[in-house]
Amino acid sequence: MTGHRDVVPAPSPWSVMPRWTIDPDHSHVEFSVRHLAIATVKGRFRAFGGEVETDEAGTPRAVHARLDAASIDTGVAQRDAHLRSAEFLDAATHPALAFESTRIEATGRGRATLAGTLAMRGVVRDVTLDLTWHGPVAGTDGAPRLLAEAHGTIRRSEWGLTWNRAIEAGGVAVSDEVRITLDIQVVAA
């Protein structure tokens, strides 16, 4: 006669990891802005980091991120230097942009509204982004990862980035509206 044993599954390694670190090698912080009222200029920040806090199921509860202002890159050296100057980010005086979440409100399975504060150029303003996330999943190295995408729009003038020029065809050289796109992978901290 064989005895019956209850098999208790081992806890998931992901259920005990509520803190995650942004993996900059598998993440992108990008923006786009209308230029000359007819074209779109896209860029990214090359240096950034941060943490995400989750519940045991991997649902985001808090986000903390920091971007190096001098790492802005649009692929055009002269434009990038202008964006780092005092007319835009003033990276010499304000070397970092920082985001701190204040609220993450679920809007569906794997979706939420991410609200927080964005500090840029010495000014702190509220921002809201649409957030989707996937995971946790195992990365190619077997380590648990979360994948997140966030999108939103800000008005750069709210942070004191007001440089512009009128153009002959009407309008201005650089739109006030900046679209933000984040593709982020985080690994267990």
Side-chain angles (χ1 to χ4, degrees), residues 31 41-44 46 71-80 83-84:
F31 63 91
V41 170
K42 296 181 179 185
R44 67 188 324 177
R46 297 254 178 219
S71 75
I72 196 166
D73 181 6
T74 64
V76 177
Q78 184 178 358
R79 178 171 49 223
D80 295 343
L83 292 173
R84 291 181 194 108

Side-chain angles (χ1 to χ4, degrees), residues 13-170:
W14 301 325
S15 66
V16 293
M17 297 183 185
R19 288 181 93 63
W20 305 78
T21 302
I22 293 175
D23 176 358
D25 293 334
H26 294 97
S27 299
H28 302 280
V29 176
E30 300 173 328
F31 63 91
S32 61
V33 64
R34 298 293 280 170
H35 182 247
L36 301 177
I38 58 169
T40 300
V41 170
K42 296 181 179 185
R44 67 188 324 177
F45 287 89
R46 297 254 178 219
F48 53 88
E51 291 186 337
V52 175
E53 298 173 32
T54 66
D55 64 15
E56 290 182 359
T59 302
R61 295 292 178 231
V63 178
H64 318 279
R66 185 176 169 92
L67 296 88
D68 178 354
S71 75
I72 196 166
D73 181 6
T74 64
V76 177
Q78 184 178 358
R79 178 171 49 223
D80 295 343
H82 190 202
L83 292 173
R84 291 181 194 108
S85 78
E87 290 183 330
F88 281 96
L89 293 177
D90 195 7
T93 306
H94 304 286
L97 290 76
F99 176 83
E100 294 290 329
S101 65
T102 55
R103 181 178 43 85
I104 301 175
E105 185 176 319
T107 57
R109 184 177 174 93
R111 295 185 203 234
T113 298
L114 172 61
T117 59
L118 176 62
M120 179 169 40
R121 207 172 183 237
V123 178
V124 178
R125 294 277 186 260
D126 293 335
V127 297
T128 303
L129 304 172
D130 294 322
L131 173 68
T132 58
W133 71 91
H134 312 279
V137 298
T140 56
D141 60 358
R145 293 179 171 272
L146 289 174
L147 313 158
E149 297 174 345
H151 306 274
T153 303
I154 63 170
R155 295 203 169 279
R156 62 188 179 89
S157 60
E158 293 180 9
W159 283 268
L161 284 80
T162 57
W163 180 91
N164 230 326
R165 284 204 178 123
I167 57 175
E168 282 184 36

